[in-house]
Amino acid sequence: MSRSKPTIDDVARVAGVSRATASRVINNAPGASGPLRVRVQEAVARLGYRPNEAARALASGRPRVVDVIAVSCDLPGGWLGSNPYYGRVLAGMMPLLEGVGAQLRVHALTHESAAGALDELAANVTLGAVLSDITPTLAARFHRRCRRVVSLVPTAATVPAMVADNIGGAYAAVTHLHRLGRRRIAAIHGPLISTCAADRRIGHLRAAQQLGLAEVSADAAFTREGGYRAAQRLLEQHPDLDAVFVACDLMAAGVVQALTAGGRRVPEDVNVIGFDDSVAAVCANPPLTTMRLPVEEMAAAAVRLLLSGDVPPGHRELFPAELVVRQSTGSPTVG
């Protein structure tokens, strides 16, 4: 039989103080003497009490806010608004925050200036922070200063995270192209600094090795323009390629444009498969086959964990990537 979590009433009973006094100490509010504070703090440690951060923020009079933090990976200006991923993160978070009367703040940081800005943000967190895009080193730095944080990308071992199966998704994408009869499969990977891109690269390489495929790839930024330029380079170097796995849908939309401009038909000549299942996949011409990431569900799970007040270091929840078939991959080839 599982033990129930200790409550503030339990803390007050063990410390021998009133509930109001225990609440003042836990919320760092005035009105309790030094000896009383020590007794309450000792009771908190003895019981393993973890305050509910939503209630704590309300009691202290601070704004009830979840901060969303994104650190760019060498992207051009306006990157936060141009990438559908970030809109999906906010869409997953907002209904839960509205339900508890909390606010959402978005911080778009450049990698060069991120360290100092993250330190300041960590010192002022109330309900918690969601790291939508960040390197493991910066995430660990933030976590050392503030434990109320959850990452949405692969990160340092100590940082709580909602993790997508990027490796398995990339492996499934390449395997799908191979099942369709494609044998000259190229890949366009994301920036080296991105942990999501790194995992998708691993999945592609694993599939290529197991299927006996040549390792043909290019790197690009997570943008339409990046995908377009990378596809042009691949076509120049490997004009016989018959399929492309692309690390995100926005890049894949650019890949389709480059293939069409180069006289290739999609999917008749070249199959294209993306990653994310964002609005970019639906709006591409033809619509993209892709690996769906449940970004909204991951963001909602992060908020629920923060609102619970119990965010254990190293906490992990794994979310699958699922194949969504559309017109950019055709029927199996014959022969």
Side-chain angles (χ1 to χ4, degrees), residues 128-131 139 142-143 146-151 159-161 305-306 311:
V130 172
L131 306 177
F142 189 94
H143 186 250
C146 175
R147 296 304 176 97
R148 299 186 301 281
V149 60
V150 183
S151 175
V159 180
L305 185 62
L306 291 173
V311 189

Side-chain angles (χ1 to χ4, degrees), residues 14-317:
V14 172
V17 300
S18 68
R19 189 181 193 280
T21 297
S23 179
R24 290 191 193 98
V25 175
I26 290 169
N27 292 307
N28 199 28
S33 66
L36 287 179
R37 289 184 180 277
V38 171
R39 283 161 55 185
V40 172
Q41 290 162 358
E42 289 176 346
V44 167
R46 176 180 166 186
L47 294 170
Y49 172 73
R50 293 178 180 271
N52 182 292
E53 289 302 326
R56 191 176 184 183
L58 182 62
S60 67
R62 293 175 296 166
R64 306 177 69 209
V65 174
V66 171
D67 294 281
V68 183
I69 301 170
V71 181
S72 72
C73 297
D74 303 321
L75 294 178
W79 55 272
L80 188 65
S82 63
N83 192 319
Y85 164 74
Y86 299 104
R88 295 181 66 193
V89 170
L90 301 185
M93 296 176 62
M94 290 176 66
L96 287 169
L97 295 177
E98 290 172 356
V100 298
Q103 301 173 8
L104 183 151
R105 280 191 304 232
V106 180
H107 309 271
L109 310 177
T110 63
H111 192 264
E112 294 74 20
S113 62
L118 287 171
D119 290 349
E120 184 176 350
L121 288 170
N124 292 287
V125 163
T126 56
L127 294 181
V130 172
L131 306 177
S132 63
D133 194 9
I134 194 169
T135 64
T137 300
L138 289 174
R141 178 187 181 114
F142 189 94
H143 186 250
R144 287 193 297 270
R145 290 158 175 79
C146 175
R147 296 304 176 97
R148 299 186 301 281
V149 60
V150 183
S151 175
L152 297 183
V153 295
T155 187
T158 57
V159 180
M162 303 297 162
V163 182
D165 185 9
N166 289 292
I167 295 176
Y171 182 93
V174 177
T175 301
H176 178 68
L177 293 171
H178 189 266
R179 280 200 303 265
L180 293 175
R182 305 292 162 159
R183 297 295 182 266
R184 296 177 296 280
I185 303 172
I188 298 179
H189 299 299
L192 294 174
I193 197 172
S194 166
T195 53
C196 291
D199 279 359
R200 293 168 199 174
R201 186 187 305 265
I202 292 171
H204 160 247
L205 290 174
R206 186 173 296 173
Q209 291 166 3
Q210 292 190 8
L211 297 171
L213 302 174
E215 197 281 296
V216 177
S217 66
D219 296 342
F222 280 140
T223 63
R224 184 198 64 80
E225 295 82 4
Y228 189 99
R229 290 191 291 268
Q232 285 183 316
R233 296 195 301 272
L234 284 174
L235 285 173
E236 291 174 0
Q237 299 164 8
H238 306 278
D240 61 341
L241 65 84
D242 63 6
V244 188
F245 162 64
V246 193
C248 88
D249 292 337
L250 197 58
M251 299 164 70
V255 170
V256 170
Q257 291 175 341
L259 290 169
T260 302
R264 270 73 164 185
R265 299 170 300 164
V266 178
E268 292 85 355
D269 300 325
V270 182
N271 278 196
V272 177
I273 186 167
F275 211 104
D276 288 337
D277 196 26
S278 68
V279 66
V282 179
C283 295
N285 185 22
L288 295 170
T289 293
T290 186
M291 300 305 302
R292 181 184 185 275
L293 284 188
V295 176
E296 294 86 351
E297 292 92 329
M298 292 167 64
V303 171
R304 280 192 292 269
L305 185 62
L306 291 173
L307 293 178
S308 75
D310 184 8
V311 189
H315 177 87
R316 288 291 184 277
E317 294 181 34

